[in-house]
Amino acid sequence: TISILDSASCKEGHRMFFKKKPKTQPYDKENQKPVIRASICTGEKVAGFQDIRTGTFREVMLIRTPGDLEEFRQLYGIGEREIPTQY
């Protein structure tokens, strides 16, 4: 049996070993392209999509680590192609 203390410490101290695989989210591949926007001053990076015709940028997620960029790629099914960075 597990005591109340044991079950509480498991919830707080241990993380799940298996992550739920995120489903691929669609984006308009004919009218949008994936882009990373980076601030020259702060270095902050944001991943999103730019409308090819209007140039409008839609932010999707903040990029802090290479893992965040990989998550963005997987989430939208972008693959290993180069994503342009705009400053």
Side-chain angles (χ1 to χ4, degrees), residues 11-66:
K11 289 178 186 175
E12 293 175 12
H14 294 48
R15 294 183 180 186
M16 297 278 298
F17 291 109
F18 302 100
K19 281 187 171 181
K20 193 175 190 181
K21 188 174 180 179
K23 294 180 181 178
T24 302
Q25 300 290 320
Y27 72 96
D28 187 354
K29 294 179 182 179
E30 290 184 25
N31 297 312
Q32 295 179 328
K33 64 179 182 177
V35 174
I36 304 295
R37 283 229 171 144
S39 169
I40 294 173
C41 298
T42 64
E44 180 180 86
K45 293 183 180 181
V46 177
F49 297 97
Q50 184 176 29
D51 188 294
I52 295 170
R53 291 174 288 153
T54 65
T56 306
F57 181 76
R58 178 176 60 102
E59 292 183 10
V60 175
M61 66 184 295
L62 183 64
I63 304 296
R64 292 184 181 156
T65 66

